[in-house]
């Protein structure tokens, strides 16, 4: 699968229902979020783009205080086995179950997680 095809599939999944796309290696079953045309674990080019359930657990988080605003930022480990950085919409604890979705702001994408 060429990188351009992977980008197109990511865009299709995101536009359809704000779901989180990811890549799975068909040879070693390794999953990862960032679009690559080969598996970073085994080097295989035998990969597929899939749609994540969006369900995961808080792996890590921190609060950022800036100009009178508080942001909660961290990492979610998805059921499919990969991790993503995201913003949280609620206060969270490590291990909390969350739902992740992608939101488009102008020309950029943000990954948001909220408690289930």
């Amino acid at each position: 699968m060429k990188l351009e095809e992977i980008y197109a599939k990511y865009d299709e999944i995101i536009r359809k229902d704000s779901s989180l796309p990811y890549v799975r290696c068909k040879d070693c079953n390794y999953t990862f979020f960032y679009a690559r045309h080969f598996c970073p674990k085994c080097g295989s080019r035998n990969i597929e783009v899939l749609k994540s359930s969006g369900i995961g657990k808080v792996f890590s988080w921190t609060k950022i205080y800036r100009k009178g605003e508080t942001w909660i930022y961290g990492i979610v480990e998805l059921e499919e086995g990969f991790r993503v950085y995201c913003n949280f919409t609620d206060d969270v604890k490590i291990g909390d179950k969350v739902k992740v979705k992608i939101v488009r702001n102008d020309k950029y994408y943000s990954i948001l997680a909220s408690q289930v």
Side-chain angles (χ1 to χ4, degrees):
M1 194 173 222
K2 294 181 180 178
L3 196 53
E4 294 79 20
E5 295 171 320
I6 294 169
Y7 288 146
K9 186 71 174 168
Y10 266 51
D11 196 50
E12 176 187 324
I13 291 170
I14 292 167
R15 288 178 188 272
K16 185 175 180 182
D17 58 6
S18 299
S19 292
L20 193 65
Y22 70 101
V23 179
R24 185 181 71 82
C25 176
K26 292 181 181 180
D27 291 335
C28 73
N29 251 0
Y30 185 70
T31 57
F32 49 99
F33 172 68
Y34 294 102
R36 296 182 183 111
H37 61 285
F38 63 92
C39 175
K41 184 175 181 184
C42 74
S44 172
R45 294 183 184 273
N46 188 17
I47 58 172
E48 62 183 337
V49 177
L50 301 168
K51 180 174 115 173
S52 171
S53 67
I55 303 296
K57 291 185 179 177
V58 177
F59 179 80
S60 176
W61 66 272
T62 188
K63 281 190 180 182
I64 301 168
Y65 300 94
R66 185 171 181 208
K67 297 182 182 178
E69 293 182 335
T70 303
W71 297 16
I72 305 171
Y73 187 73
I75 301 171
V76 170
E77 185 167 26
L78 282 295
E79 288 178 339
E80 293 83 5
F82 64 96
R83 296 177 184 159
V84 293
Y85 290 97
C86 62
N87 291 307
F88 293 99
T89 58
D90 312 300
D91 281 330
V92 293
K93 301 184 309 265
I94 291 174
D96 282 353
K97 191 172 183 179
V98 293
K99 172 81 173 168
V100 174
K101 67 177 183 173
I102 293 188
V103 177
R104 187 177 173 118
N105 302 327
D106 297 325
K107 58 184 176 179
Y108 301 104
Y109 293 104
S110 296
I111 301 174
L112 298 178
S114 52
Q115 289 187 341
V116 177

